[in-house]
Amino acid sequence: MDEKFSFALRKIALLGGINNYIAVSSRELGVVLGMSQQSASKRILELLDEKYLVRDLGARKQRIKITDSGVEELKKEYNEYRRIFELTDHVAIHGKVVTGMGEGGYYITQKPYMDQFQSLLGFRPFEGTLNIKVSKEDLGKLEVIRYTPGHLIEGFEKDGRTFGNVVAYKAKIQNLECALVIPQRSHYSDILEIVCKFHLRRTLSINDGDEIGVIIDLSSLSSEDQISGMT
Amino acid sequence: MDEKFSFALRKIALLGGINNYIAVSSRELGVVLGMSQQSASKRILELLDEKYLVRDLGARKQRIKITDSGVEELKKEYNEYRRIFELTDHVAIHGKVVTGMGEGGYYITQKPYMDQFQSLLGFRPFEGTLNIKVSKEDLGKLEVIRYTPGHLIEGFEKDGRTFGNVVAYKAKIQNLECALVIPQRSHYSDILEIVCKFHLRRTLSINDGDEIGVIIDLSSLSSEDQISGMT
DNA sequence: ATTACTAGTAGACGAGTAA
DNA sequence: TTTACTCGTCTACTAGTAA
């Protein structure tokens, strides 16, 4: 997103325009943005055009509100700042081991995925993923990961079935090299899927319900395959 | 600060330029900023000029680092986002009641301060301030306050002595209207000074060492007297 | 490779003003 | 009062190129 848009959106958010329609004239917005009434009016039109803002243009005064997609853009920047000031190069996430639906394991063992794993992360995952249900306190950290570029593992087609893109992040569990994998088109989830060269449950002697910590690396990217996480 | 500067600084920060010199060519920075090598080079020169960046211009590749003042600017924006996403209109801070040096009490009872208090906050403080030592976990919240505009109470001169500007924020302790006062030129402190119409220690029966919570209002500003807190 | 100049251009802005 | 058009100016950018 253009910086001029995020600047305006941020100021509108500070005026309370995230959850409610707020009455702001173009003159008032101009003062807040440090520009003329004309330019503020233009900026509003541009933001409407980009669908970052919706407007209720009354006779006396317009009322504006930031759309979900506008909030999304602001969160991206917020998370950049969080990476800068809270977590420089990694996030530690705690959760409980759970049994997944087994889907992840089937997916990841597909050869095209495996090959890319080998070249991007340096190992071929053992079949099956370890599923971790993230503890409540750490849910906020998932957003940071979501907005951090990871290793893009490209999807493919096979037997008429589509295997989508997957984003991987290097990770560690008790000093064991592993990786967090997130299907790129997935929706919000509080389950982390971890793959490893070894059978994690056996190697670390862990079972369902056990508390476990994962360290996710956010800084290990080669410049080519930068891509952001889930939608 | 100009938005184009904060955008560039933020990206440089994400590359690790806050605590260390990093080697980034103008071409590389151009890619990160989505602009040409020439423009990135110019941006660096501007940032150097504004003292947001320092540079070590080697023969092969320049090395840059964000200055303290540059970090300060980034924190301002970070705290705007924190206000948007973490704390919409108030901060709750916990701490322990301590005995201050008595300076605050002497200051605040000066008539010119008192008069401005009356007009801006609607009450005349009881002589003396309540000092609260902020608990460790809440220290981060102080920065949010620091970067939030408060009510400016102007300083004055009297008997050759200078009484500096003070920034006040409306606050509540157990539903009792009060205010947080911060000398504008003060340095970092983990002690909050609270003033109230009533004698807080007596009214609430609190003593040194007692745990106490303060709710600080961040949204109660008339547009004229917006001014940011301590330096 | 670098960094950074100059020149030309596109676009962002404010003044004036209409509705 | 509003919002938002046109138009002239000026700034911010890129291309070409020097060092």
Side-chain angles (χ1 to χ4, degrees):
Chain A
M1 181 175 54
D2 201 320
E3 262 309 280
K4 67 184 186 183
F5 291 153
S6 74
F7 176 68
L9 275 184
R10 188 167 77 243
K11 296 303 180 182
I12 293 169
L14 283 168
L15 293 172
I18 280 203
N19 294 311
N20 313 294
Y21 276 90
I22 48 167
V24 195
S25 73
S26 52
R27 170 146 297 285
E28 288 166 340
L29 188 64
V31 172
V32 173
L33 300 181
M35 51 171 60
S36 68
Q37 172 275 126
Q38 291 87 340
S39 296
S41 169
K42 191 148 175 278
R43 186 58 34 87
I44 289 172
L45 293 175
E46 290 164 346
L47 288 169
L48 289 170
D49 217 51
E50 299 283 338
K51 305 268 187 286
Y52 293 139
L53 221 55
V54 280
R55 179 162 68 161
D56 167 12
L57 187 48
R60 282 188 56 73
K61 221 178 191 179
Q62 66 188 348
R63 299 186 332 127
I64 55 175
K65 182 172 171 294
I66 300 175
T67 62
D68 288 350
S69 119
V71 173
E72 188 77 355
E73 292 298 325
L74 286 175
K75 281 196 179 172
K76 277 185 195 164
E77 295 213 341
Y78 171 46
N79 280 292
E80 289 196 346
Y81 280 107
R82 290 182 69 183
R83 278 201 62 195
I84 293 171
F85 291 114
E86 297 170 38
L87 348 109
T88 42
D89 61 349
H90 66 272
V91 236
I93 289 187
H94 288 264
K96 267 186 187 154
V97 174
V98 293
T99 299
M101 290 153 292
E103 273 287 295
Y106 168 67
Y107 265 80
I108 217 66
T109 52
Q110 299 294 318
K111 192 167 183 304
Y113 281 141
M114 283 290 213
D115 292 347
Q116 291 180 75
F117 247 96
Q118 179 74 58
S119 69
L120 291 172
L121 298 161
F123 66 87
R124 296 181 84 79
F126 182 88
E127 52 186 279
T129 65
L130 180 73
N131 293 283
I132 299 174
K133 187 179 166 68
V134 178
S135 72
K136 234 178 179 174
E137 311 87 66
D138 286 351
L139 286 176
K141 295 182 182 174
L142 293 184
E143 273 197 81
V144 180
I145 300 171
R146 186 176 153 186
Y147 289 115
T148 302
H151 298 276
L152 175 64
I153 294 179
E154 277 166 20
F156 52 93
E157 296 241 352
K158 189 184 158 191
D159 305 332
R161 184 167 173 184
T162 306
F163 291 81
N165 286 353
V166 169
V167 182
Y169 301 86
K170 284 189 179 175
K172 270 188 185 176
I173 294 183
Q174 294 171 33
N175 269 322
L176 217 66
E177 295 275 356
C178 53
L180 165 67
V181 293
I182 300 174
Q184 197 172 27
R185 301 238 157 271
S186 76
H187 274 266
Y188 175 84
S189 163
D190 63 348
I191 308 284
L192 297 186
E193 293 199 63
I194 308 291
V195 294
C196 182
K197 189 174 170 177
F198 308 105
H199 188 294
L200 278 168
R201 284 176 184 257
R202 207 183 300 139
T203 314
L204 299 171
S205 307
I206 44 180
N207 296 294
D208 271 15
D210 286 359
E211 291 280 349
I212 198 167
V214 197
I215 310 280
I216 292 145
D217 187 354
L218 301 175
S219 66
S220 60
L221 287 194
S222 55
S223 57
E224 279 101 297
D225 40 57
Q226 281 193 14
I227 196 84
S228 64
M230 22 171 173
T231 328
Chain B
M1 182 175 53
D2 200 320
E3 264 307 282
K4 67 186 185 182
F5 291 153
S6 74
F7 176 67
L9 276 183
R10 188 168 79 242
K11 297 303 181 183
I12 293 169
L14 283 167
L15 293 173
I18 280 202
N19 294 312
N20 313 292
Y21 276 89
I22 47 167
V24 195
S25 73
S26 53
R27 168 145 298 283
E28 289 166 339
L29 188 64
V31 172
V32 173
L33 300 182
M35 52 171 60
S36 67
Q37 171 275 126
Q38 291 86 339
S39 297
S41 170
K42 191 150 176 276
R43 185 59 32 88
I44 289 172
L45 293 175
E46 290 164 345
L47 288 168
L48 289 169
D49 216 53
E50 299 282 338
K51 305 265 186 289
Y52 292 139
L53 221 56
V54 283
R55 179 165 66 163
D56 167 11
L57 187 49
R60 281 187 56 73
K61 221 176 190 180
Q62 65 188 348
R63 300 187 330 126
I64 56 176
K65 182 174 171 292
I66 300 175
T67 62
D68 288 349
S69 119
V71 174
E72 188 77 354
E73 292 297 327
L74 286 176
K75 282 197 179 173
K76 277 186 196 165
E77 295 212 343
Y78 171 46
N79 279 292
E80 289 197 343
Y81 281 108
R82 291 183 68 184
R83 279 199 61 197
I84 293 172
F85 291 113
E86 296 172 37
L87 349 110
T88 42
D89 61 348
H90 66 273
V91 235
I93 290 187
H94 289 265
K96 268 186 185 156
V97 174
V98 294
T99 299
M101 289 153 293
E103 274 285 295
Y106 168 69
Y107 265 80
I108 216 66
T109 52
Q110 299 294 319
K111 194 169 181 305
Y113 280 142
M114 282 291 214
D115 292 347
Q116 290 180 76
F117 247 95
Q118 178 74 58
S119 70
L120 290 173
L121 298 162
F123 67 86
R124 295 181 85 80
F126 183 87
E127 53 186 281
T129 65
L130 180 73
N131 294 283
I132 299 174
K133 187 178 167 68
V134 177
S135 74
K136 233 175 180 176
E137 310 88 68
D138 286 351
L139 286 175
K141 296 182 182 174
L142 294 184
E143 274 198 80
V144 180
I145 300 172
R146 185 176 155 186
Y147 289 115
T148 302
H151 297 276
L152 176 65
I153 295 179
E154 277 167 18
F156 52 92
E157 296 241 353
K158 188 185 159 190
D159 305 333
R161 185 166 173 184
T162 305
F163 291 81
N165 286 354
V166 168
V167 182
Y169 301 85
K170 283 188 181 176
K172 272 190 185 176
I173 295 185
Q174 294 170 30
N175 270 322
L176 218 65
E177 295 275 356
C178 54
L180 165 67
V181 293
I182 300 173
Q184 197 173 24
R185 301 238 157 270
S186 76
H187 275 267
Y188 175 83
S189 163
D190 64 347
I191 307 284
L192 297 185
E193 293 198 63
I194 307 290
V195 294
C196 182
K197 189 174 171 179
F198 309 105
H199 188 294
L200 278 168
R201 283 174 183 258
R202 208 184 298 141
T203 314
L204 299 172
S205 307
I206 44 179
N207 297 292
D208 272 16
D210 287 358
E211 291 281 349
I212 197 167
V214 198
I215 309 280
I216 292 145
D217 187 355
L218 301 175
S219 66
S220 61
L221 286 194
S222 53
S223 57
E224 277 100 300
D225 40 57
Q226 283 194 12
I227 195 86
S228 64
M230 20 172 175
T231 328

